[in-house]
Amino acid sequence: MQLCTAPRFTATAIVFTAPGCIELRQAQLQPLAARQFRVRTLYSMTSPGTELRVLAGHYGAAGKFPLVPGYSSVGRIEELGAEVVGYRVGDLVSCRNPAVPLVGLSMMWGGQASQHVCASIGEDRPVLLPAGADPLDYVTAEISAISLRGVTAAAPRPGETAVVVGQGLIGASSAMWLSAAGCRVIVCDTEAGRLERARAWSSQSVRIGDGDHVGRLNTLLEGGADIVVEASGTTPGFALARTLLRRKPQAYGIDYKVEPIQFYHKDWPRLVLQANYLDDVPVNPFTMVAGEGMILLAPKDRGVEDRQAAIESLRRRLVPAASLLQRVLPAAQAPAAYLGLRDDRAANFSLVLDWAGV
């Protein structure tokens, strides 16, 4: 078998050239290996929390500039490697991390470009979109799959109370999934605009730092939450989240009562960590535990099955995913748009880039 050994295609990419510096660059694609294929990007979605921290040089980015950020896009397959099975030219796909970097550039995680070389096998392989799909309807799939995995791990039951701390993309989509599972959802954030947006998927919202937010939460919770999702990625957010778990599954009265331990071991509240932290969070393990037990979940990533589940839920319109699309801009405006995300808190929610014509 004879494979191409020289690049034949050029992509336009969003490149972080140094901390705080962004530009659009042309770069060549690597030649296809036998089990790889080439995807033309239609839309990509930023993950502001992750990508802005990378722009600042965190997560190991300091030693990788110039680099291409991003891990969420939808596109169309244009070329198949000689041994690709199961994919066809023309397929619409949801993509996470490209298989190889553009020539001369590093990746973290390399998704913000007009074309990609993708693997047809392994956890990073693209997932097929439904036949006849509108790609923009599925641009949230990769980010939604992250939050879906965390919510699924918490095994929410209809009628349970859930609190989500932080209403960025991950927190907002976590709240959507919890609401779709039948939970009563309360959301918290420091930004009034995010809380206003969250009315579409929550029963109550509380602005952190606006008066007696702890007292307000305690009034709403009546003994604590069954599930708390920490999605702020901040030390104060984590400190708040762990205090909101319910203390007892049976009795919420003021009288102190030590109940048999077996009352708890199958019905403990769940704390889901859906964020990364730049600093270590100091914790006393004993006082962290709500009552006599809790379940701590930290999913960290999503698998192919999570991505497929998110796509199917989007197809069935189980969550109001369109509410996550704050702005859709031409990819050519990306450098200014990223700086807007960084510098304007009101704009720091979501950004979708349209790669048409790039």
Side-chain angles (χ1 to χ4, degrees), residues 88-109:
R88 300 174 182 175
V89 171
D91 280 343
L92 291 174
V93 288
S94 177
C95 305
R96 47 178 283 169
N97 310 328
V100 292
L102 297 171
V103 175
L105 298 172
S106 300
M107 297 194 306
M108 288 193 76
W109 288 250

Side-chain angles (χ1 to χ4, degrees), residues 63-189:
K64 294 185 177 181
F65 294 113
L67 61 86
V68 181
Y71 58 81
S72 176
S73 66
V74 290
R76 190 183 305 276
I77 296 176
E78 292 196 338
E79 183 183 14
L80 301 175
E83 297 180 9
V84 171
V85 175
Y87 295 90
R88 300 174 182 175
V89 171
D91 280 343
L92 291 174
V93 288
S94 177
C95 305
R96 47 178 283 169
N97 310 328
V100 292
L102 297 171
V103 175
L105 298 172
S106 300
M107 297 194 306
M108 288 193 76
W109 288 250
Q112 298 288 9
S114 63
Q115 297 192 74
H116 307 289
V117 173
C118 296
S120 64
I121 56 175
E123 283 297 312
D124 285 338
R125 68 186 185 271
V127 177
L128 294 172
L129 297 185
D134 180 342
L136 189 58
D137 290 343
Y138 295 88
V139 72
T140 65
E142 295 297 327
I143 290 174
S144 294
I146 296 171
S147 54
L148 177 59
R149 182 177 177 88
V151 168
T152 301
R157 298 186 288 267
E160 289 191 312
T161 295
V163 177
V164 182
V165 181
Q167 282 298 284
L169 272 177
I170 298 297
S173 53
S174 295
M176 287 182 182
W177 295 122
L178 287 162
S179 179
C183 292
R184 169 183 177 241
V185 179
I186 300 167
V187 299
C188 311
D189 201 279

Side-chain angles (χ1 to χ4, degrees), residues 19-355:
C21 298
I22 312 163
E23 63 183 49
L24 290 176
R25 279 192 188 179
Q26 301 289 312
Q28 292 180 318
L29 270 71
Q30 304 273 9
L32 290 181
R35 295 186 178 182
Q36 296 173 347
F37 52 82
R38 179 171 56 85
V39 175
R40 173 79 61 178
T41 306
L42 300 174
Y43 298 98
S44 63
M45 191 163 196
T46 61
S47 177
T50 297
E51 293 184 46
L52 292 180
R53 286 181 173 181
V54 169
L55 179 61
H58 299 297
Y59 300 162
K64 294 185 177 181
F65 294 113
L67 61 86
V68 181
Y71 58 81
S72 176
S73 66
V74 290
R76 190 183 305 276
I77 296 176
E78 292 196 338
E79 183 183 14
L80 301 175
E83 297 180 9
V84 171
V85 175
Y87 295 90
R88 300 174 182 175
V89 171
D91 280 343
L92 291 174
V93 288
S94 177
C95 305
R96 47 178 283 169
N97 310 328
V100 292
L102 297 171
V103 175
L105 298 172
S106 300
M107 297 194 306
M108 288 193 76
W109 288 250
Q112 298 288 9
S114 63
Q115 297 192 74
H116 307 289
V117 173
C118 296
S120 64
I121 56 175
E123 283 297 312
D124 285 338
R125 68 186 185 271
V127 177
L128 294 172
L129 297 185
D134 180 342
L136 189 58
D137 290 343
Y138 295 88
V139 72
T140 65
E142 295 297 327
I143 290 174
S144 294
I146 296 171
S147 54
L148 177 59
R149 182 177 177 88
V151 168
T152 301
R157 298 186 288 267
E160 289 191 312
T161 295
V163 177
V164 182
V165 181
Q167 282 298 284
L169 272 177
I170 298 297
S173 53
S174 295
M176 287 182 182
W177 295 122
L178 287 162
S179 179
C183 292
R184 169 183 177 241
V185 179
I186 300 167
V187 299
C188 311
D189 201 279
T190 59
E191 297 295 320
R194 291 185 175 187
L195 296 178
E196 180 65 27
R197 184 181 295 110
R199 288 187 177 185
W201 51 82
S202 63
S203 63
Q204 294 281 351
S205 62
V206 175
R207 186 173 182 182
I208 297 173
D210 186 11
D212 184 17
H213 66 269
V214 174
R216 180 69 168 174
L217 285 166
N218 287 335
T219 298
L220 289 169
L221 293 176
E222 279 297 319
D226 301 291
I227 300 169
V228 178
V229 175
E230 205 306 284
S232 75
T234 66
T235 299
F238 176 83
L240 174 64
R242 67 187 184 87
T243 66
L244 300 177
L245 293 167
R246 60 171 166 74
R247 297 284 163 173
K248 291 185 176 184
Q250 287 82 24
Y252 299 124
I254 61 174
D255 294 333
Y256 179 74
K257 181 180 180 182
V258 179
E259 298 180 1
I261 189 65
Q262 64 265 30
F263 283 14
Y264 296 87
H265 77 288
K266 290 184 179 180
D267 194 25
W268 286 331
R270 291 83 83 196
L271 175 60
V272 186
L273 302 183
Q274 284 282 47
N276 290 317
Y277 300 85
L278 295 179
D279 302 311
D280 292 338
V281 179
V283 170
N284 181 322
F286 186 81
T287 58
M288 176 181 173
V289 175
E292 294 181 326
M294 61 174 285
I295 296 172
L296 179 64
L297 300 161
K300 297 186 176 67
D301 202 351
R302 74 277 190 207
V304 172
E305 69 283 358
D306 304 306
R307 299 160 66 204
Q308 290 172 332
I311 287 170
E312 177 60 15
S313 295
L314 292 173
R315 186 190 70 80
R316 296 169 61 192
R317 302 187 185 280
L318 296 183
V319 292
S323 300
L324 298 177
L325 307 183
Q326 184 181 22
R327 291 180 298 163
V328 180
L329 296 177
Q333 299 180 23
Y338 269 88
L339 295 179
L341 282 177
R342 183 192 66 183
D343 299 335
D344 183 356
R345 289 296 299 171
N348 189 346
F349 179 70
S350 77
L351 171 65
V352 173
L353 298 173
D354 183 347
W355 291 87

